[in-house]
Amino acid sequence: MINITLPDGSTRKVESGTTAHDIALEISEGLARNVLAAEVNGEVWDPQREIHSDASLKLLTWNDDAGKNTMWHSSAHLLAEALEALYPGVKFWVGPPIEHGFYYDVDFGDQTFTDKDFAAVEQKMLELAKAKNPFIRKEISKADAIALFEAKGDEYKLDLLEGLEDGTITLYTQGNFTDLCRGPHMPHTGFVKAAKVMSIAGAYWKGDESNKQLTRVYGITFPKKQELTAYLELLEQARARDHRKLGKEMDLFAFSDKVGQGLPLWLPKGAELRSRLEDFLKEAQRKAGYQGVITPHIGNKELYITSGHYAKYGADSFQPIQTPSEGEEYLLKPMNCPHHCEVYKARPRSYRDLPVRFAEFGTVYRYEQSGELHGLTRVRGFTQDDAHIFCTADQVKEEVSNVIDLVLYIFKILNFEDFVVQVSLSDPENPEKYIGSDENWEKAERAIQEVAEEKGLNTIVALGEAAFYGPKLDFMVRDAIGRKWQLGTVQIDYNLPERFELEYVGADNSKHRPVMIHRAPFGSMERFVAILIEHCAGKFPLWLTPEQVKILPISDRFNEYAEGVSKVLENHDIRALVDDRSEKVGKKIRDAELEKIPYMLIVGESEAAEGTVSVRKQGEGDIGGLTVEAFAERIRSEIAEMLKKED
RNA sequence: GCCGAUGUAGCUCAGCUGGUAGAGCAACGCAUUCGUAAUGCGUAGGUCUGCGGUUCAAGUCCGCAUCUCGGCUCCA
């Protein structure tokens, strides 16, 4: 007999060899029907696998991430089975679960597979699912496994086998399909009630761009049909908020083939939105003790040789600009840090001056791979809300703390409520990868972690993810429909102060090296605006939106009164326009609603007579009449309320 | 950069197996003067991404280039 401990702390005595499925059955038949996998002593197992020693057990269903992953991993095998049935001779590499569904990397050989073939594959998958074929686990010796896949002529599985140790190799079979796989899998294929092949794409074998490309087939499955429908609706919703679509519809930005790939053009409304964000951050930074600096868009190549960026990125960047002077070369600046180092060096610094914080909305140019460009989130010319803090090692903690406060303030004002903080530290196994003294690293890593903890941030620590020049802290936000984005970043840097020989005179009258902190709360204006658009689906907060109010006269006779209202609002710094087209008010309302203008003011006979406006809020409808002054006051206080969230 | 798909009016899209382009919305004009999500009529707008090729004839077929999109790789 063995003891099984369940998550609620209760213990069951069962025969050795009992499976998780058996235990689920003891609890309830309904539960047993839904168990996809089981966590046995912290390891995810097949529910059918026999347990032979005391263990802690957690039954996993569709509601657990690990349960979902198991089903999707099994679904990848189901996909493979369907593909093998329809395309005899195809070869498979790997098929893992991903955040939404799974994929399988497939070598179709001479056969073609296009999106027109998806439906047939989906049908086959469902047919195979209906058969409720069990997933059968089999341990196999390495020699037998090699023989098996050699017979099949499957070079991919043979390659996988090379990396595996004898004694740990398992095969899984469902129906007619057998795959080399560590598992675990759900009990049988019947759990899949809905299947969709989402897309195909090329993917390098082993992720190496010098290898051949396989066809990556993406799919997703669900235990209920309606969950698939809901998922497809969510995707539809995401498409509707896509910043590329909204940016075009709302006249915020554009691209031009003539100007060049990945070089955004900010249209008047987008420019206005952006500069309002910049002003907002500038004001917050001014209060936080930053000083603005301005540096040129190009820099002598020597600058980047000193910084080390030329050696690392020179070949993949916009190439140097020649001058009439022989041998003289300039680079479009790919980052602001080297310039700011030179700002620091413009005069000798004393420990009494530190910390100094140089801020600049610095436009930089990076030659991103063409296939990498994406709307405003990945471009070749963009403006960082950059700043560099130069301080002593002892000041790092407080400075990081202040930066975090600034980022949190911004998130609060802009309603990014759901975020985690990733702390990237050095890899303890490979200390030689990093520059800077052990003492300083330890100080900085401790400082970052302590600050994160003191602020009660939801933190994940990523060992080995630090940059070679220092540890960092990144904010990952979740937008309104649950997608994750990386926004603000704080990075500690021991490298550039060294390379630029930055110094300050200490209290001991000798020279010391400052620590440099890079930080960008937005990341870049382009990226941030893109994420903001998607987060709020184009309905910007009142204080940010380019057009706050549209005045809609009932007929041309009231255009004059409407203009008067507009003037009054203008005097209150409210951005209002009159829709003086000769259209019915219903049409004007519809257009203003679609333009996502927060307030519509309908004016006609009675309003003109009484000096009032009839107020309509976007998405909410008519909210009654107010005098013009009262409306202006309402807007003013609404905005004040939004910006007042300071701690 | 690589794999694949795509490019038709300002926008969203039709255009079957080759026979020199069409709709809705937007724009413009006229009429209408209207009360909370679309007034009517009319006008104008296109080297069908570009360059070559096949053909009596190319938006349609082929090649190359380019852009965009989905991924991969990359992201100082």
Side-chain angles (χ1 to χ4, degrees), chain A residues 31 47 56 92 103 137 180 218 220 280 336 349 391 431 460 598:
Chain A
L31 176 63
S56 68
F92 299 99
Y103 66 79
R137 180 176 192 271
L180 173 69
Y218 286 88
I220 193 162
F280 161 69
N336 304 297
R349 304 281 170 179
C391 64
I460 42 173

Side-chain angles (χ1 to χ4, degrees), chain A residues 234-457:
Chain A
L234 181 78
L235 288 185
E236 197 52 51
Q237 214 186 83
R239 261 192 290 278
R241 338 177 137 233
D242 190 312
H243 75 278
R244 293 166 299 183
K245 178 177 178 294
L246 290 175
K248 193 185 252 182
E249 283 174 10
M250 300 176 76
D251 282 324
L252 299 174
F253 60 88
F255 289 90
S256 146
D257 295 359
K258 279 216 171 67
V259 174
Q261 261 192 300
L263 299 170
L265 305 173
W266 290 81
L267 305 179
K269 283 185 191 168
E272 206 180 319
L273 176 77
R274 167 176 159 170
S275 62
R276 203 155 275 124
L277 273 172
E278 287 179 0
D279 291 346
F280 161 69
L281 181 56
K282 267 184 197 159
E283 178 58 17
Q285 286 181 165
R286 195 187 54 76
K287 286 185 190 153
Y290 288 77
Q291 298 168 286
V293 297
I294 298 172
T295 65
H297 286 221
I298 62 173
N300 195 295
K301 185 171 147 186
E302 292 301 320
L303 181 67
Y304 302 101
I305 290 175
T306 302
S307 73
H309 290 112
Y310 187 76
K312 198 154 185 207
Y313 298 103
D316 300 322
S317 298
F318 284 107
Q319 289 307 290
I321 302 163
Q322 314 288 325
T323 73
S325 177
E326 179 72 27
E328 189 180 47
E329 291 184 319
Y330 285 84
L331 256 61
L332 273 169
K333 77 174 168 189
M335 78 288 298
N336 304 297
C337 340
H339 286 79
H340 288 189
C341 286
E342 289 301 302
V343 169
Y344 179 87
K345 283 186 91 167
R347 68 174 180 81
R349 304 281 170 179
S350 141
Y351 75 98
R352 295 170 191 273
D353 301 333
L354 301 186
V356 287
R357 311 178 187 91
F358 299 138
E360 174 175 20
F361 286 90
T363 304
V364 298
Y365 299 90
R366 297 180 183 176
Y367 193 78
E368 304 290 359
Q369 294 184 15
S370 62
E372 206 34 69
L373 302 171
H374 180 95
L376 282 186
T377 57
R378 197 79 184 274
V379 287
R380 285 182 172 167
F382 58 98
T383 302
Q384 296 178 310
D385 55 323
D386 214 356
H388 295 94
I389 300 167
F390 300 89
C391 64
T392 67
D394 292 331
Q395 291 168 332
V396 168
K397 184 173 173 186
E398 192 183 346
E399 288 306 308
V400 170
S401 169
N402 291 341
V403 171
I404 291 175
D405 286 342
L406 182 65
V407 174
L408 294 181
Y409 169 64
I410 289 166
F411 282 8
K412 208 172 204 181
I413 297 285
L414 290 163
N415 303 319
F416 286 106
E417 277 144 13
D418 187 0
F419 57 87
V420 293
V421 170
Q422 177 174 320
V423 174
S424 301
L425 303 178
S426 59
D427 180 355
E429 312 274 297
N430 295 299
E432 73 286 352
K433 271 181 18 193
Y434 306 98
I435 178 168
S437 72
D438 292 353
E439 187 197 344
N440 279 344
W441 265 87
E442 203 202 309
K443 210 180 248 178
E445 294 194 335
R446 189 154 22 89
I448 285 190
Q449 291 183 91
E450 280 175 12
V451 172
E453 191 172 327
E454 282 163 23
K455 307 243 174 241
L457 298 177

Side-chain angles (χ1 to χ4, degrees), chain A residues 539 593 597-600 615-624 634 638:
Chain A
K539 293 175 190 166
E593 288 278 351
I597 294 172
Y599 284 101
M600 285 151 268
V615 184
R616 185 186 163 102
K617 202 166 180 180
Q618 205 268 346
E620 289 176 29
D622 193 356
I623 57 171
R634 180 189 162 122
E638 193 176 325

